[in-house]
PDB file of all heavy atoms in Angstrom:
ATOM      1  N   ASP W  50      10.260  -7.615  -8.431  1.00 88.00           N
ATOM      2  CA  ASP W  50       9.425  -6.475  -8.131  1.00 88.00           C
ATOM      3  C   ASP W  50       9.933  -5.229  -8.787  1.00 88.00           C
ATOM      4  O   ASP W  50       9.196  -4.461  -9.344  1.00 88.00           O
ATOM      5  CB  ASP W  50       9.361  -6.152  -6.543  1.00 88.00           C
ATOM      6  CG  ASP W  50       8.530  -7.295  -5.881  1.00 88.00           C
ATOM      7  OD1 ASP W  50       7.714  -8.032  -6.588  1.00 88.00           O
ATOM      8  OD2 ASP W  50       8.661  -7.360  -4.592  1.00 88.00           O
ATOM      9  N   ALA W  51      11.317  -5.038  -8.860  1.00 90.00           N
ATOM     10  CA  ALA W  51      11.872  -3.907  -9.432  1.00 90.00           C
ATOM     11  C   ALA W  51      11.640  -3.866 -10.929  1.00 90.00           C
ATOM     12  O   ALA W  51      11.250  -2.793 -11.429  1.00 90.00           O
ATOM     13  CB  ALA W  51      13.431  -3.851  -9.148  1.00 90.00           C
ATOM     14  N   GLU W  52      11.606  -4.997 -11.614  1.00 87.00           N
ATOM     15  CA  GLU W  52      11.309  -5.081 -13.020  1.00 87.00           C
ATOM     16  C   GLU W  52       9.906  -4.686 -13.237  1.00 87.00           C
ATOM     17  O   GLU W  52       9.555  -3.951 -14.114  1.00 87.00           O
ATOM     18  CB  GLU W  52      11.655  -6.477 -13.554  1.00 87.00           C
ATOM     19  CG  GLU W  52      13.083  -6.776 -13.886  1.00 87.00           C
ATOM     20  CD  GLU W  52      13.363  -8.197 -14.334  1.00 87.00           C
ATOM     21  OE1 GLU W  52      12.417  -8.983 -14.288  1.00 87.00           O
ATOM     22  OE2 GLU W  52      14.428  -8.340 -14.886  1.00 87.00           O
ATOM     23  N   ASP W  53       9.051  -5.421 -12.504  1.00 86.00           N
ATOM     24  CA  ASP W  53       7.676  -5.113 -12.712  1.00 86.00           C
ATOM     25  C   ASP W  53       7.171  -3.583 -12.461  1.00 86.00           C
ATOM     26  O   ASP W  53       6.510  -3.073 -13.243  1.00 86.00           O
ATOM     27  CB  ASP W  53       6.750  -5.954 -11.757  1.00 86.00           C
ATOM     28  CG  ASP W  53       6.770  -7.489 -12.120  1.00 86.00           C
ATOM     29  OD1 ASP W  53       7.195  -7.679 -13.382  1.00 86.00           O
ATOM     30  OD2 ASP W  53       6.431  -8.319 -11.331  1.00 86.00           O
ATOM     31  N   ILE W  54       7.797  -3.015 -11.353  1.00 91.00           N
ATOM     32  CA  ILE W  54       7.539  -1.634 -11.105  1.00 91.00           C
ATOM     33  C   ILE W  54       8.177  -0.698 -12.258  1.00 91.00           C
ATOM     34  O   ILE W  54       7.490   0.239 -12.609  1.00 91.00           O
ATOM     35  CB  ILE W  54       8.096  -1.191  -9.754  1.00 91.00           C
ATOM     36  CG1 ILE W  54       7.292  -1.944  -8.678  1.00 91.00           C
ATOM     37  CG2 ILE W  54       7.983   0.339  -9.576  1.00 91.00           C
ATOM     38  CD1 ILE W  54       7.819  -1.776  -7.192  1.00 91.00           C
ATOM     39  N   THR W  55       9.248  -1.104 -12.676  1.00 91.00           N
ATOM     40  CA  THR W  55       9.980  -0.307 -13.789  1.00 91.00           C
ATOM     41  C   THR W  55       9.027  -0.363 -15.064  1.00 91.00           C
ATOM     42  O   THR W  55       8.992   0.709 -15.734  1.00 91.00           O
ATOM     43  CB  THR W  55      11.299  -0.739 -14.082  1.00 91.00           C
ATOM     44  OG1 THR W  55      12.044  -0.817 -12.800  1.00 91.00           O
ATOM     45  CG2 THR W  55      12.082   0.002 -15.032  1.00 91.00           C
ATOM     46  N   ILE W  56       8.569  -1.550 -15.494  1.00 89.00           N
ATOM     47  CA  ILE W  56       7.742  -1.637 -16.631  1.00 89.00           C
ATOM     48  C   ILE W  56       6.464  -0.837 -16.374  1.00 89.00           C
ATOM     49  O   ILE W  56       6.085  -0.087 -17.298  1.00 89.00           O
ATOM     50  CB  ILE W  56       7.370  -3.151 -16.824  1.00 89.00           C
ATOM     51  CG1 ILE W  56       8.596  -3.907 -17.370  1.00 89.00           C
ATOM     52  CG2 ILE W  56       6.151  -3.194 -17.835  1.00 89.00           C
ATOM     53  CD1 ILE W  56       8.509  -5.392 -17.602  1.00 89.00           C
ATOM     54  N   GLN W  57       5.832  -0.862 -15.227  1.00 88.00           N
ATOM     55  CA  GLN W  57       4.679  -0.070 -14.953  1.00 88.00           C
ATOM     56  C   GLN W  57       4.973   1.340 -15.054  1.00 88.00           C
ATOM     57  O   GLN W  57       4.232   2.140 -15.522  1.00 88.00           O
ATOM     58  CB  GLN W  57       4.158  -0.449 -13.523  1.00 88.00           C
ATOM     59  CG  GLN W  57       3.487  -1.779 -13.472  1.00 88.00           C
ATOM     60  CD  GLN W  57       2.986  -1.975 -12.048  1.00 88.00           C
ATOM     61  OE1 GLN W  57       2.469  -1.089 -11.489  1.00 88.00           O
ATOM     62  NE2 GLN W  57       3.145  -3.242 -11.488  1.00 88.00           N
TER      63      GLN W  57
END
Side-chain angles (χ1 to χ4, degrees):
D50 289 346
E52 281 180 344
D53 289 342
I54 293 170
T55 303
I56 287 172
Q57 289 178 39

